[in-house]
Amino acid sequence: GKDKPVTFHTRIRSSGYGKAPAHTKLFGGKGGRRGQAPRRKRLDLANSAGEQVQYPTVEELSFGAATPCSARLANGPITGMCFARDAKVIGVCGADGSATSSRLPVSRDKKKAQYMGHEGPVTAIDWNHGQQLQLLLTSSDDGKARVWKRNRPAAVLELVPGPPGSAGAASAPGAVPAKGKSTTLRPAIKASKFFYVDKFILMAVANRLELHKYAVDHLTDEKNDLRRLQNHSRHRLVKSWEQPSQTINSIACVNSFFSHTVITAGSNRGIQVYDLGVGQLATSIDQAHARAVHSVVLPTVSEYTSLPNNVYDVFATGSTDGSAKVWDLREGKCVRRFQDHANRVQTVGMAFSPCMRYFACGSENKTCLVYDLRNGQVLDKLRGHTDTVTSVAFNPRYPQLATG
């Protein structure tokens, strides 16, 4: 009849918005059990032909000759490098204060995006986990961190460290500070990372680890200058932790699934492991190296591999004492030591392969060494650079290694 509702005799799939998220609030629980890695959801991804893509985990990799990049991605030394989640884009930052993103292969991309605005060397670069809105995070010695939309020249959010509870808003490019606001020299931000599946941003400011909550204005009508200047992006400092060191040099965390673990390394030669589920320091390793620790890295959690969770319970650190160490996250013990590379002055790049069989480490003798994680032996020494290899990154989808 006409008073009856219209119905369709087919099952309509739920959008999923009514389902509770599979994660817990930070600082709101007792934290996970010691030594137990968080669960991660396995995504079924396929290539353009519809075939399942899997990173090779059994075959022995042969690196062979390097393919030099004819296109210049930075006008000075490269300080950071990372692949996007879909392995279609690579981001590079440099000491000239700029960052660049390029589609792969780099030689075929004629419209590389440049991100300029920092007033000092860019110290870190990181892609977010989301695919619908690709964001790039950079931090610099100028004391600021910026969030960029891919292929957009202006930053959508500028993060400035501040006292706990302070809030910040995005500023227009080239804006003059308001009268009465301090323009004193800010401490350098040595590292920055997206965290907790893009919910937060972590920053290393002097000897403080800061956790910021943020919201990005999508700015769909960027051709309208008035709308572009009315940027409603915001950030707020949620919590900060001070460490007994002069500076925090590196941050490591997993952003591809909900993990509470954050690892920092600083100038006091120690390592700190935080459980942000309870907002406290879980454990610390004093005198981890003979000199200051310049890098700490976690394994690359790739969606194109299927490995047991306990494989990821390790992390690596590098120091100017000439060694790189692999640590057991559950026991806090060193399980492997690499010292065939040269590292006495500068920061060198380090990375785990997605198959967790190889460990790449830059060197001051213009090479990159590939170690076997199982026995610690050098498998290959990659040549072709004219200076120190300061950054390395494994492709999460294909057996490729980028060095810079």
Side-chain angles (χ1 to χ4, degrees), residues 168-361:
S171 58
V176 179
K179 186 177 181 179
K181 289 190 176 182
S182 174
T183 58
T184 57
L185 185 64
R186 302 181 182 91
I189 302 177
K190 291 296 184 182
S192 60
K193 292 279 188 181
F194 285 107
F195 176 61
Y196 214 63
V197 193
D198 300 337
K199 298 294 187 299
F200 301 92
I201 288 178
L202 287 166
M203 297 194 304
V205 185
N207 67 332
R208 299 193 315 274
L209 173 65
E210 295 189 355
L211 180 71
H212 288 254
K213 181 73 175 177
Y214 70 101
V216 172
D217 192 338
H218 285 227
L219 294 175
T220 55
D221 189 13
E222 292 188 351
K223 293 183 179 179
N224 187 333
D225 291 339
L226 182 61
R227 173 67 183 93
R228 180 171 54 84
L229 293 175
Q230 293 173 346
N231 191 344
H232 299 296
S233 300
R234 294 291 186 272
H235 73 94
R236 177 176 59 86
L237 178 61
V238 178
K239 194 169 183 179
S240 64
W241 298 264
E242 289 193 2
Q243 296 187 6
S245 62
Q246 186 175 1
T247 57
I248 299 175
N249 295 326
S250 183
I251 300 174
C253 64
V254 175
N255 186 47
S256 56
F257 59 91
F258 295 105
S259 171
H260 298 155
T261 303
V262 177
I263 307 174
T264 64
S267 57
N268 64 341
R269 298 178 287 182
I271 303 167
Q272 285 72 37
V273 181
Y274 291 88
D275 181 359
L276 296 197
V278 294
Q280 295 179 357
L281 178 68
T283 184
S284 61
I285 304 173
D286 299 328
Q287 304 300 319
H289 284 268
R291 299 179 70 178
V293 183
H294 59 63
S295 300
V296 55
V297 294
L298 280 164
T300 303
V301 183
S302 172
E303 295 166 352
Y304 305 92
T305 59
S306 181
L307 299 174
N309 284 337
N310 60 355
V311 173
Y312 300 103
D313 290 333
V314 296
F315 66 95
T317 58
S319 170
T320 51
D321 62 1
S323 69
K325 296 181 180 180
V326 178
W327 303 81
D328 189 325
L329 183 58
R330 296 161 294 186
E331 300 182 3
K333 295 181 179 179
C334 178
V335 296
R336 188 75 66 201
R337 181 187 177 100
F338 307 113
Q339 49 187 4
D340 290 298
H341 59 283
N343 186 199
R344 292 293 179 182
V345 180
Q346 297 175 273
T347 298
V348 298
M350 301 186 306
F352 290 96
S353 66
C355 62
M356 288 302 294
R357 300 176 66 187
Y358 308 103
F359 181 75
C361 186

Side-chain angles (χ1 to χ4, degrees), residues 374-396:
R374 295 163 292 184
N375 53 32
Q377 296 182 355
V378 178
L379 295 178
D380 208 341
K381 184 179 289 188
L382 309 180
R383 297 176 172 86
H385 286 282
T386 58
D387 206 338
T388 301
V389 179
T390 57
S391 182
V392 299
F394 277 95
N395 190 315

Side-chain angles (χ1 to χ4, degrees), residues 66-142:
T67 303
C69 177
S70 56
R72 181 178 292 274
L73 297 179
N75 294 322
I78 292 177
T79 55
M81 184 187 305
C82 64
F83 287 92
R85 171 190 174 190
D86 57 5
K88 295 181 180 179
V89 185
I90 188 172
V92 175
C93 63
D96 61 342
S98 68
T100 305
S101 68
S102 172
R103 293 186 62 85
L104 299 175
V106 176
S107 58
R108 295 183 182 179
D109 189 3
K110 304 302 181 182
K111 296 181 179 180
K112 299 176 179 63
Q114 285 195 330
Y115 312 94
M116 305 183 68
H118 285 291
E119 300 174 357
V122 180
T123 56
I125 187 169
D126 191 30
W127 289 102
N128 71 329
H129 184 68
Q131 288 292 292
Q132 294 183 347
L133 179 64
Q134 279 193 315
L135 299 176
L136 191 65
L137 172 65
T138 60
S139 58
S140 171
D141 280 345
D142 63 4

